[in-house]
Amino acid sequence: MREPTIVAEITAEPLNGGELSARLRSTEDGAVVVFEGRVRDSNQGRPVVRLRYEAYAEMAERVLTEIASEAGSLYEVGAVGAAHRTGALELGEASVVVVAAAAHRAAAYDASRYVIEAIKQRLPMWKEEQYADGSTAWLGERPVEGEAR
Amino acid sequence: MREPTIVAEITAEPLNGGELSARLRSTEDGAVVVFEGRVRDSNQGRPVVRLRYEAYAEMAERVLTEIASEAGSLYEVGAVGAAHRTGALELGEASVVVVAAAAHRAAAYDASRYVIEAIKQRLPMWKEEQYADGSTAWLGERPVEGEAR
Amino acid sequence: MLLFGVYREFAGQAELGLELPAGSTLAHLVSELRSRSGFDRLPDRPAVARNLTYASLDELVEAGDEVALIPPVAGG
Amino acid sequence: MLLFGVYREFAGQAELGLELPAGSTLAHLVSELRSRSGFDRLPDRPAVARNLTYASLDELVEAGDEVALIPPVAGG
């Protein structure tokens, strides 16, 4: 078995799933799954005009590396990469990108899903939504549970 | 609920998952899953140097459209796109790309997986592998089963 | 009828004309084909498409139908 | 200690100095904080990180530790 390549990044720069995929995959990988989370134009019925992500950057890089490494141990993959954006994002921009490359598709899907679910549960990252009426709100729907800490 | 956008293509041109994704997603979609099948450098331990895909093109376009539409009905997605390449492919090139865009990630993953599994089961497409020693073989490991016909 | 992939290699050609009595089914067509040289490796009940759709072997073949033999597929 | 997101708004600032007696745990730190104005909305048992890792509230706080309060997360 290959030792999987692991990449984890917290960045204020625009994300590009295709670029991360090209960087990570090799010709041993028959399957590549790219997940992109993008800024939606509404949340629970309220029109959103802009988002701002704030990270506990130093810890977030460490947690994201841990998450990607866990996926790399749990599934037979060649590479797992995850990048999360910070700062102000416009509608439609990618807030998170996860790439999993594997010889076979089941492992690529499973690793990809594992990473995004873990990001949602425990990446120290917060989101401030800005609405059409100018008001803002900190989103924080997922208290970090004991088992995820 | 939105009527999902459906795209299905059989093409001899190189595939580009990022481009298909950009064409399909809207700002209503918070999650985009791009699956790419790529030519591996080996199959069941035998080194592969090149592949050739052959389709029953007219039927394949129809079947691929059906598959993408089924995924669009089964899951709450905004768009489902699938493209399969034909002709000669080099190692690392994408043979198939599936894009699923949805408000929420579970539907995007499920639709993506549905499409690639159905492609493997019933898309009228064949693969001739060429090996390092110059020999070739038609791959055909999945007889189309009664329930998939 | 149309032949693809490994089935085409049985025939050495991609298209084949077959004369069948009126009232023949796709199963009759397959068994007629299996009696020809090269086609002994064709399965008893291969997948068959009629007019671009997978078809049951019980279906009748009609004049003008586009019939294709579908070897095990390998897309993806 | 470090404050993020909505917790930072409780304090009106991103960093806060706290004097704690030797032998204090993270739970002591949280209860000290909850007695301050603005922090009545802080949960009983918020998630806490010590030195960049999620920590149990039973853990002792030591001099030089980087402690952060982690509001419910919203990455992805």
Side-chain angles (χ1 to χ4, degrees), chain C residues 39-61:
Chain C
F39 280 98
D40 45 312
R41 285 179 295 158
L42 187 67
D44 261 15
R45 300 181 59 78
V48 176
R50 192 167 73 94
N51 300 328
L52 307 177
T53 305
Y54 288 110
S56 157
L57 292 175
D58 305 332
E59 289 181 29
L60 292 174
V61 188

Side-chain angles (χ1 to χ4, degrees), chain B residues 28-67:
Chain B
E28 294 182 57
D29 299 311
V32 182
V33 174
V34 178
F35 173 84
E36 295 177 336
R38 291 184 172 271
V39 180
R40 293 176 64 205
D41 56 12
S42 70
N43 187 13
Q44 300 178 322
R46 234 178 137 183
V48 172
V49 295
R50 195 173 297 110
L51 276 191
R52 203 166 62 80
Y53 278 95
E54 171 182 308
Y56 180 5
E58 213 184 335
M59 180 173 171
E61 290 211 353
R62 181 185 282 218
V63 170
L64 196 55
T65 304
E66 276 169 18
I67 290 170

